[in-house]
Amino acid sequence: MPHQITVARAAIIEATLDDVALPSLRPGEALLKIQQFAITANNVTYAAIGEAFGYWDFFPASAERGIVPVWGHATVIDAGDTQLTTGERIYGYLPMATHLVVQPAVTGAGSFVDTSAHRAARAAVYNQYRRLNGDPGHVPGGEDLRSVFEPLFLTSFLIEAMFRRHRWYGAKRLIVTSASSKTAIALAYVARAASPEIERVGLTSAHNIDFVERTGLYDKVLGYDELDELGELEAEASVSVDFAGNGATLARVHVAVGDDLKYSCLVGVTDWRNRGGFGEREMTGPKPVLFFAPDHVATMISESGSKGFQLAVAERWLGFAKNAAQLVKVAPIEGLIHVIPAWVAAVKGQTRADTAIIVHI
């Protein structure tokens, strides 16, 4: 029996496992059987801001309940009359469910786009799928870590590229909140690789300091209770990237860095329960700017073309993938029925920073 997990849009911690019927395929459609996906703080972000950013629209459920998007792998079990091949494997944006119907427009040996009408108005990056047989970013045997890190890695790749495009706004120091988060770890890696002259400072909860230091990706690590020490560092023009989404913490960063803060970038909401308040809160220095990854994908594609962009991301990703297995340990979950406790833990912020939750269906 096919299943899906839905959450209450107004209370995302409330999740249920629902039975669903598979629709009959129409011309131009194919059916995917989902094999595995990751659950990270990134997925909590999708749900927490689902209304504002249209994340509930990718896999519609109802006005009151939504299906949380995840990243993972699937197999084509019925290619219908499309150019896909029954039995081939794909990677991309999936529902927290057992199956997905797509309307694929093949764009090459290694990719296709889901052109389903309900997704047409949404950011193109989420509608693109990789066909593993021709995908330059595929690492055989590395599917679990790809599901955990690559969607986050892409965001981090784009953030670093944005800063480098603007010559880091004159900064010599990068300050990152929620430094233990997987997106922050990926940003630290990309910044070290592409902009080694930029000092990387990670801010994290006290219980995550040891883990963040063990990654070896930051030049300096501070607990949030040590945040005022930012003002004691040697004066350097700085930029900040806020993955936590906690307005009070970001305000403290602005105060501590003062006039040396040249750009304040808002990305995630790992501390989603304390998100918001940026518009009402007095902030010293530059106004925080929301980073929306799909816009930056469009910018990079306009600069280097779709193929050039994909190859650039794949090259940097393959370098990171070699180290990813050393950063986290995989915690597998077998079967969709066992996902709800893991989802609740993720929403509560109880998932360990050094653990990767992978669901196998």
Side-chain angles (χ1 to χ4, degrees):
M1 171 70 70
H3 301 288
Q4 64 186 21
I5 289 179
T6 62
V7 303
R9 294 191 185 195
I12 62 173
I13 200 168
E14 299 176 9
T16 60
L17 179 69
D18 308 322
D19 294 340
V20 292
L22 287 181
S24 299
L25 293 183
R26 296 175 296 184
E29 292 183 336
L31 178 63
L32 309 181
K33 173 67 171 65
I34 297 169
Q35 296 175 311
Q36 56 86 262
F37 59 82
I39 297 178
T40 71
N42 189 43
N43 308 113
V44 177
T45 296
Y46 291 150
I49 61 176
E51 296 288 352
F53 286 85
Y55 286 116
W56 299 128
D57 297 341
F58 287 96
F59 312 112
S62 70
E64 294 78 28
R65 302 191 68 80
I67 299 175
V68 180
V70 292
W71 292 84
H73 293 77
T75 298
V76 179
I77 60 171
D78 188 344
D81 61 354
T82 71
Q83 292 179 272
L84 301 183
T85 302
T86 298
E88 73 169 297
R89 300 175 65 214
I90 66 96
Y91 165 78
Y93 205 54
L94 303 170
M96 203 178 281
T98 56
H99 295 79
L100 173 65
V101 174
V102 294
Q103 189 172 321
V106 173
T107 53
S111 62
F112 73 86
V113 174
D114 184 1
T115 61
S116 298
H118 67 276
R119 298 175 64 159
R122 295 300 161 202
V125 66
Y126 298 118
N127 295 333
Q128 297 174 1
Y129 291 81
R130 305 296 179 218
R131 306 172 71 188
L132 300 192
N133 287 340
D135 176 21
H138 175 52
V139 178
E143 289 87 348
D144 285 351
L145 290 174
R146 185 181 198 182
S147 299
V148 172
F149 278 110
E150 197 193 56
L152 314 173
F153 182 87
L154 175 59
T155 297
S156 301
F157 177 91
L158 294 167
I159 294 168
E160 192 280 333
M162 180 269 290
F163 279 132
R164 189 156 32 88
R165 187 181 307 114
H166 291 281
R167 301 181 185 273
W168 286 87
Y169 296 92
K172 297 296 183 184
R173 177 178 293 144
L174 167 65
I175 301 168
V176 177
T177 68
S178 194
S180 67
S181 71
K182 295 170 180 65
T183 320
I185 288 171
L187 175 58
Y189 171 85
V190 177
R192 185 181 68 177
S195 299
E197 73 282 4
I198 303 298
E199 181 186 18
R200 301 170 305 282
V201 177
L203 305 178
T204 190
S205 300
H207 64 274
N208 284 329
I209 289 177
D210 287 347
F211 165 70
V212 175
E213 289 179 337
R214 287 199 305 273
T215 69
L217 294 172
Y218 297 92
D219 297 299
K220 188 173 184 63
V221 179
L222 296 173
Y224 290 125
D225 59 345
E226 303 171 306
L227 195 150
D228 294 340
E229 293 183 22
L230 283 174
E232 299 173 11
L233 298 179
E234 181 181 351
E236 288 280 11
S238 302
V239 294
S240 67
V241 179
D242 179 45
F243 292 110
N246 184 315
T249 297
L250 184 59
R252 290 179 61 203
V253 171
H254 277 235
V255 169
V257 182
D259 292 339
D260 286 331
L261 188 62
K262 304 305 178 185
Y263 191 94
S264 178
C265 181
L266 296 178
V267 184
V269 285
T270 59
D271 188 5
W272 69 275
R273 285 161 295 184
N274 293 310
R275 72 189 187 278
F278 300 107
E280 299 80 14
R281 190 181 300 275
E282 287 293 329
M283 287 280 181
T284 301
K287 181 180 179 180
V289 178
L290 181 66
F291 185 90
F292 188 54
D295 290 343
H296 292 272
V297 169
T299 296
M300 292 197 70
I301 289 177
S302 70
E303 293 174 348
S304 57
S306 179
K307 184 175 181 180
F309 169 70
Q310 291 179 19
L311 289 175
V313 175
E315 179 182 8
R316 192 66 73 192
W317 160 251
L318 291 174
F320 179 76
K322 294 177 181 178
N323 301 306
Q326 309 304 316
L327 299 174
V328 297
K329 57 179 178 289
V330 172
I333 293 175
E334 302 299 329
L336 202 62
I337 193 171
H338 300 298
V339 168
I340 292 177
W343 171 252
V344 171
V347 173
K348 289 182 176 181
Q350 295 174 344
T351 304
R352 290 174 55 94
D354 61 354
T355 300
I357 304 298
I358 298 292
V359 180
H360 296 274
I361 301 176

